Amino acid sequence: FGGTDPAGLASKAVAALEEIDFKGRVTMVRGLGAEPIDVSGSKLNLQVLSNVKNMPALMVKADLALSSAGRTITELSCIGVPTLCLAQNAKELTHTHNSVNNGVIMLGLGSLVSVETLAAHLSELIQNNALRQTLHERALGATAGRSNASIVRRILRAVGLS
């Protein structure tokens, strides 16, 4: 959720995953400016990372992602990762790349999205394989001709992940 996560969206994401009793593996990446998050009481299979050197290597392993509405969305789309998006602020709501045409379900301003609403969307995306596949295909299709897509593919090849 960005380098600093000013709206505390990571905590909301953890609460939503706990609400649906998610049993899969969760990797949370915290930006260098983000406050530490206390997940000691969480029952999730959760790994919290900071200062990640190779984000594409993590992204390519993801079945789905939760993200704020910045450049990370484009990177996830280039790899074809279906994404639930929560904007950190009103400016992020103006970003046009956060759409289902790009494999992204935009939920709006994160501070206004309840844990229950996020949990319901997470549950649907996790359980609905056809929806995830459609978002995957749309993401790849939307970014196929873009230069950043070829850059991400080259990075993945360079680190042996493609």
Side-chain angles (χ1 to χ4, degrees), residues 124-158:
E124 175 65 19
L125 192 55
I126 290 166
Q127 294 175 22
N128 190 333
N129 293 332
L131 175 58
R132 276 198 324 280
Q133 183 62 33
T134 297
L135 293 172
H136 168 77
E137 290 167 4
R138 287 182 179 179
L140 292 176
T143 59
R146 296 174 69 168
S147 63
N148 49 358
S150 64
I151 291 169
V152 170
R153 282 192 295 275
R154 284 192 307 220
I155 291 170
L156 290 173
R157 276 195 304 273

Side-chain angles (χ1 to χ4, degrees), residues 32-49:
L32 289 176
E35 294 292 322
I37 184 170
D38 181 14
V39 294
S40 58
S42 176
K43 295 177 182 158
L44 296 173
N45 178 6
L46 176 63
Q47 178 183 28
V48 180
L49 304 174

Side-chain angles (χ1 to χ4, degrees), residues 109-121:
L109 190 59
S111 61
L112 301 179
V113 176
S114 69
V115 169
E116 295 77 19
T117 297
L118 179 55
H121 280 86

Side-chain angles (χ1 to χ4, degrees), residues 26-124:
V26 178
T27 302
M28 178 188 299
V29 178
R30 301 291 286 161
L32 289 176
E35 294 292 322
I37 184 170
D38 181 14
V39 294
S40 58
S42 176
K43 295 177 182 158
L44 296 173
N45 178 6
L46 176 63
Q47 178 183 28
V48 180
L49 304 174
S50 183
N51 197 24
V52 171
K53 301 291 187 207
N54 190 348
M55 279 300 293
L58 283 177
M59 289 178 175
V60 77
K61 295 176 186 176
D63 293 320
L64 63 95
L66 285 91
S67 178
S68 55
R71 282 175 272 168
T72 300
I73 293 292
T74 302
E75 296 165 345
L76 289 163
S77 292
C78 289
I79 298 171
V81 178
T83 304
L84 285 177
C85 182
L86 299 164
Q88 285 282 359
N89 53 55
K91 183 182 183 310
E92 284 190 348
L93 291 172
T94 66
H95 297 176
T96 59
H97 61 281
N98 300 314
S99 71
V100 293
N101 292 333
N102 291 329
V104 178
I105 298 174
M106 170 50 111
L107 299 180
L109 190 59
S111 61
L112 301 179
V113 176
S114 69
V115 169
E116 295 77 19
T117 297
L118 179 55
H121 280 86
L122 272 167
S123 184
E124 175 65 19

